[in-house]
Structure formats: C-alpha cells, structure tokens
Amino acid sequence: MNSKNKLLIFTTVTLALSSVTVGTVIAQIKLTNQSKLFINRVGQVRVGMSVSQAAKAAGIKLIGDSPNNSCYYVKPQNEPKNLLFMVTKGRISRVDVRQNSQLTTFKGAKIGDTEAQIKSLYPGQIKVTPHKYVQGGHYLTFIPKDSANQNYRVVFETDGKRVTQFRSGKLPEVEYVEGCS
C-alpha cells in the first residue's frame, strides 16, 4: 500500500469518526422527554437565554403566546409535551413541567412521586408550604445550599400526597403561583 492510499484511508476513517461524533453531539443537544430538569435549565436550555437562543440550543421550534415586555409562555412545537418556558423581559426565566410529562429532574424526581420521595431525594433542602388552590396540597420548594445558585429554586406542587407538576427557574418568577396571570 503506498503512502497516498494510507493517507486516503486515514482521512476516510477520520471523517467517518468525525461524523459519528457530530451526530452524537447533535443528538445530545436536542430537547427530548429524556432531557433532565436542573435548577436553572432543562437540557441545553438555560434560564437567561432569549427565546431564539433557547430554540437553537434545544434544536426545536418554540411556539406560544405573542411576545410582550412583561410575561408570556412558549413551548416546544412538538415534543416534549407539557413543557413550558416562562419569558420575562425577553428572557427565559422559568421552566414548567406539567401533568403527564415524562421529564424528570436531574435527581430523578417526577410527576407522580410522593412527597416523601421528593424529601428523600433532596434531604434537608425542601421547604414545605400550603398550596394556594389545592386543599391539603403543598409546595415543596428545593432551596440550594450552593451560594452560586441562591437565586434559583425547584418547586414541586402536590395534591397533599403526590407531585402534580413542578418547575424550576430564577426568583421571583419561579415562585409565581399563577404563572404570568
């Protein structure tokens, strides 16, 4: 085999491996039902991004309410379902995970979990307060110990027994009970 053929084989293998790597990176970026919710992001969509930055980071189209200066919501055009992004001052400020969603937090918390399960996933970091609209229900608020994340929360809403929906984001928006209302 001459050196020209060796170079051609090396280049072909390198390009093939590069294609696989790029494909893997793209697959990891796209927002899916397997994406994880963190205190300040879901998948690659971070609190503080503009809607266009979030759509690009998620690899999906975001649709929703007409933009305004105060507060509105956008959501993925297709999947994942029951995921909403609150937008305030032109930036993503909160991520809402609603009923029947398959999304979980980075610790594995999900809709349907018991209050005890949430407390065990976040030991010593859950503040329990009464739900404003659901009799016997609660807000289980994860408060981070890390000083860099003190302006963020994860709020789990329950019916008194199980998680019905949850959200993460920055203060004060993450604690708005009525969302943008």
Side-chain angles (χ1 to χ4, degrees):
M1 188 179 301
N2 65 32
S3 61
K4 190 173 182 181
N5 285 345
K6 285 181 184 174
L7 180 60
L8 181 62
I9 290 170
F10 174 76
T11 303
T12 304
V13 169
T14 303
L15 286 172
L17 289 175
S18 297
S19 304
V20 169
T21 305
V22 169
T24 304
V25 169
I26 290 169
Q28 291 172 342
I29 291 174
K30 186 171 170 77
L31 192 62
T32 69
N33 285 316
Q34 285 70 47
S35 298
K36 301 295 179 203
L37 181 91
F38 291 81
I39 198 162
N40 62 354
R41 69 181 172 93
V42 61
Q44 298 300 315
V45 178
R46 296 188 169 278
V47 168
M49 287 181 162
S50 68
V51 174
S52 61
Q53 288 171 327
K56 185 176 180 182
I60 58 174
K61 185 173 182 178
L62 295 173
I63 59 170
D65 302 334
S66 297
N68 64 59
N69 286 332
S70 55
C71 185
Y72 66 98
Y73 278 95
V74 294
K75 64 182 181 178
Q77 185 174 24
N78 297 312
E79 295 287 331
K81 299 278 186 211
N82 301 310
L83 177 69
L84 299 167
F85 297 97
M86 179 186 279
V87 182
T88 54
K89 298 179 184 167
R91 302 279 173 187
I92 304 291
S93 56
R94 157 175 150 173
V95 181
D96 289 46
V97 179
R98 300 281 170 87
Q99 294 90 341
N100 303 318
S101 176
Q102 299 170 13
L103 287 167
T104 67
T105 68
F106 70 101
K107 291 251 189 167
K110 62 189 177 304
I111 291 174
D113 280 355
T114 65
E115 289 189 0
Q117 286 172 303
I118 299 301
K119 291 174 188 174
S120 72
L121 286 171
Y122 305 94
Q125 291 182 273
I126 295 291
K127 176 183 168 189
V128 180
T129 54
H131 198 289
K132 186 172 179 179
Y133 296 110
V134 179
Q135 188 170 354
H138 298 108
Y139 299 108
L140 306 180
T141 304
F142 167 72
I143 301 172
K145 292 179 181 174
D146 180 6
S147 62
N149 290 322
Q150 284 302 300
N151 290 326
Y152 298 96
R153 301 286 186 271
V154 178
V155 178
F156 300 92
E157 291 191 33
T158 78
D159 60 9
K161 295 181 176 128
R162 296 191 175 274
V163 174
T164 57
Q165 58 186 352
F166 56 98
R167 60 186 178 267
S168 72
K170 69 181 191 74
L171 293 170
E173 291 92 332
V174 71
E175 292 185 334
Y176 292 171
V177 174
E178 288 93 8
C180 287
S181 299

